Amino acid sequence: FFFIGYKLFGFHTAYWAGLFIALHALAATTGFIFFKKIYEALNLSFATITAYAGGLLFLLNAYNAEPVIWVACIHYPLCITFNVVALIYMIEYAMHGKASSAWMFIFFFVIALFLLELSLALPLICIPLLLVFRHRDFSSQKFLLLQAVSVFIILLYLVMNKIRVGSIVGHYGAATHLNTDPVLIASHLDKYFAKYFVFSQFWHFEPMSKLYALFETPYFAYGTIAFFVLIFFLFIRFRRHFSTRMQTAFLWLACSVMALAPVINLYFTSIVHNECDRLGYFFAVFLSQSISLFAFSFLPYGCAVILIYLGLNTWFLNKNVSDWKNAGKVEQRLVETYKWQNVPEVFILNLPDNYEGAYMYRSFDSTSEFKGALHVRGIQTGNIVEVLKYNMKNTTDSVTVERLSDNELKVSFAQWGNWWWTNGKGADSYTTTTYDVKIDEWSHSYIIHFKTKNPTTVYLYQCGTEWREFKF
């Protein structure tokens, strides 16, 4: 799919943007159709507007910038769309018993599973979904049959992973994906709810870090587990005392937790915006519908809740989109103004890893990502060495370069708020066969000592959207 897109659009940004927005809208629309069918089957009032409001909350969710803008996330909206379509056919089979619906479920689920591991959550999502559906034409046996089929497909998938990549879990590896540390899982669950309900990622760093540190304490983590277990059993015991709408809203909340299962133990960042927001994409599908159902249970005040929540999401989404726009602006300008194609060796003394978390030239080895960006545009270069990267906060961020000796340079940030990065995280001092780098955290600078110097080498540093050459 990605290859076809490249052949059709090349590097025409507008076409790619249109494609990604269309895929995101398709995921939201497919969700709207699915939830509307369920609300109508449950005879809920305002079924269409409730499903539509939930779909709109998902469409404009503040954290959906990364999966829509970052090209590496093309499989996220596709995965969610195919999973939701699979759920639609599962419900169709349970209601009408058509064999074609069962085969269509298998077809779409297999595609979704090979798109992304988020699909591993589908059997778990179906547990509360079964409790949602109390329709007289609904067959629990047929529903559970497809559940068993989905589990069997997952087992085959894990066996294929073992044969193909040597581990039952690929991507980040079994050690990461199978980490069952209860404190880690519970604290991440608390963080996701804080992130999506009260927009904690946009708080000032100090209160946000204090809140997250509280979540990471063992007593709070185990308290979270006890709380969710207690709430679930109380719901099972007393659910008949609640309206169908409130029951469904609660169970969508449970589905959102289940949707996090494949990613709940993965990296959760609070240092920058945007990074890893994609991991909550499936979670947001059900959470948005839960909020919509709760809101429309308290009309007319619920409309105000929806409008306020939608407004906040739109406001913060615009902030994240602006970060990606600025990242793209800087990247494009740096490529356009690069004029050292014929130089045998270039040292880049600073290069942005990200702009407020929006990825730019991040790499996890000694490969030059900037050189790669030039090459895919047909610009051939000599050897490019990226000494250290950093996190950009503004499009004017820059450094100063000072000569200490014939073999040493000192590179310092010209403003506050940045720090040195390498391999996608904070950098450490390091050494190579040709130079040493020593970071001084207190002065926000580093000293590079060259063991050997080539007179033809060019030393560049990035200032905002421009390159500057240091004559060494």
Side-chain angles (χ1 to χ4, degrees):
F1 188 91
F2 186 85
F3 179 74
I4 292 171
Y6 170 71
K7 284 297 183 181
L8 290 173
F9 307 139
F11 292 105
H12 295 287
T13 306
Y15 295 129
W16 279 107
L19 173 63
F20 271 70
I21 292 169
L23 291 175
H24 180 51
L26 177 63
T29 304
T30 307
F32 161 71
I33 293 170
F34 170 66
F35 291 108
K36 179 174 178 288
K37 281 179 175 288
I38 289 185
Y39 298 157
E40 289 177 343
L42 296 175
N43 296 316
L44 298 183
S45 55
F46 309 107
T48 301
I49 189 63
T50 302
Y52 187 85
L56 199 59
L57 286 173
F58 168 74
L59 188 71
L60 297 176
N61 190 281
Y63 302 106
N64 281 346
E66 184 191 40
V68 178
I69 296 176
W70 190 28
V71 71
C73 289
I74 196 167
H75 49 332
Y76 275 81
L78 287 170
C79 173
I80 299 311
T81 298
F82 284 120
N83 269 297
V84 174
V85 171
L87 286 173
I88 290 174
Y89 279 110
M90 178 181 277
I91 297 297
E92 288 288 326
Y93 179 68
M95 290 179 63
H96 306 297
K98 293 182 179 179
S100 58
S101 296
W103 285 111
M104 291 302 286
F105 162 79
I106 294 171
F107 174 75
F108 283 106
F109 179 59
V110 168
I111 293 177
L113 191 58
F114 278 95
L115 277 165
L116 196 60
E117 292 95 329
L118 282 176
S119 306
L120 294 169
L122 186 133
L124 295 174
I125 290 171
C126 288
I127 296 172
L129 184 60
L130 180 61
L131 295 176
V132 165
F133 228 95
R134 296 298 180 188
H135 191 263
R136 56 188 176 87
D137 297 323
F138 181 81
S139 170
S140 298
Q141 290 77 13
K142 289 185 173 65
F143 185 86
L144 292 173
L145 174 62
L146 288 191
Q147 273 279 81
V149 171
S150 67
V151 172
F152 178 72
I153 291 171
I154 288 174
L155 292 176
L156 287 179
Y157 170 80
L158 297 178
V159 171
M160 291 177 67
N161 261 318
K162 180 65 176 178
I163 296 171
R164 181 68 180 85
V165 299
S167 173
I168 61 171
V169 183
H171 219 134
Y172 299 115
T176 299
H177 286 287
L178 301 181
N179 185 354
T180 57
D181 179 4
V183 175
L184 173 73
I185 292 172
S187 65
H188 280 192
L189 183 60
D190 289 329
K191 290 175 184 179
Y192 272 102
F193 275 111
K195 176 177 179 177
Y196 280 83
F197 274 118
V198 295
F199 304 100
S200 57
Q201 293 290 92
F202 296 96
W203 295 6
H204 289 298
F205 182 75
E206 186 175 352
M208 177 185 64
S209 59
K210 287 182 178 180
L211 178 66
Y212 288 172
L214 175 65
F215 292 159
E216 292 168 359
T217 56
Y219 75 87
F220 200 97
Y222 286 113
T224 297
I225 296 171
F227 173 77
F228 276 99
V229 170
L230 177 63
I231 288 296
F232 180 76
F233 280 110
L234 287 176
F235 173 80
I236 295 298
R237 174 66 179 82
F238 297 106
R239 68 182 185 277
R240 290 183 178 83
H241 298 280
F242 298 98
S243 66
T244 302
R245 180 181 293 274
M246 293 298 289
Q247 289 184 40
T248 307
F250 178 86
L251 288 168
W252 286 157
L253 206 59
C255 284
S256 69
V257 173
M258 299 301 180
L260 279 176
V263 298
I264 192 65
N265 52 9
L266 299 186
Y267 179 58
F268 187 101
T269 180
S270 58
I271 299 174
V272 293
H273 298 152
N274 293 291
E275 185 177 353
C276 296
D277 284 350
R278 65 190 183 278
L279 300 181
Y281 198 65
F282 206 3
F283 170 79
V285 172
F286 293 96
L287 183 69
S288 299
Q289 290 293 332
S290 180
I291 292 171
S292 181
L293 268 177
F294 273 118
F296 280 97
S297 297
F298 300 99
L299 291 174
Y301 307 106
C303 293
V305 172
I306 291 291
L307 290 175
I308 292 171
Y309 198 72
L310 188 61
L312 289 170
N313 271 286
T314 305
W315 175 271
F316 290 123
L317 176 63
N318 182 65
K319 168 69 173 67
N320 282 344
V321 170
S322 295
D323 293 338
W324 285 95
K325 180 179 179 180
N326 286 328
K329 176 183 176 182
V330 175
E331 282 187 306
Q332 183 177 4
R333 184 62 180 164
L334 291 179
V335 169
E336 291 174 348
T337 58
Y338 188 82
K339 57 183 181 181
W340 295 271
Q341 292 88 337
N342 298 320
V343 176
E345 184 177 59
V346 173
F347 271 77
I348 298 179
L349 302 176
N350 69 311
L351 194 68
D353 174 279
N354 64 82
Y355 186 102
E356 287 282 18
Y359 312 109
M360 294 179 69
Y361 294 110
R362 177 169 298 184
S363 64
F364 295 95
D365 53 33
S366 58
T367 304
S368 170
E369 287 299 310
F370 181 72
K371 182 176 181 177
L374 294 172
H375 279 195
V376 296
R377 290 163 175 81
I379 303 172
Q380 299 301 314
T381 68
N383 183 40
I384 294 180
V385 179
E386 299 171 0
V387 180
L388 282 179
K389 296 185 175 69
Y390 74 103
N391 57 308
M392 285 194 81
K393 306 285 287 184
N394 297 286
T395 56
T396 56
D397 285 356
S398 62
V399 298
T400 60
V401 182
E402 177 185 357
R403 178 176 176 171
L404 299 181
S405 70
D406 290 341
N407 294 306
E408 285 186 336
L409 294 176
K410 182 178 181 180
V411 183
S412 307
F413 288 121
Q415 63 286 311
W416 291 95
N418 316 103
W419 59 91
W420 301 112
W421 289 57
T422 187
N423 297 325
K425 59 183 181 181
D428 294 317
S429 301
Y430 69 96
T431 184
T432 72
T433 56
T434 57
Y435 65 92
D436 297 320
V437 172
K438 185 176 181 180
I439 297 174
D440 185 348
E441 297 180 0
W442 296 104
S443 65
H444 305 280
S445 64
Y446 75 84
I447 295 175
I448 180 168
H449 172 80
F450 295 94
K451 301 174 184 177
T452 59
K453 282 180 61 181
N454 191 322
T456 61
T457 299
V458 169
Y459 304 90
L460 299 179
Y461 60 102
Q462 169 252 341
C463 264
T465 58
E466 306 292 339
W467 292 110
R468 293 183 184 176
E469 183 176 350
F470 186 83
K471 299 297 183 180
F472 190 20

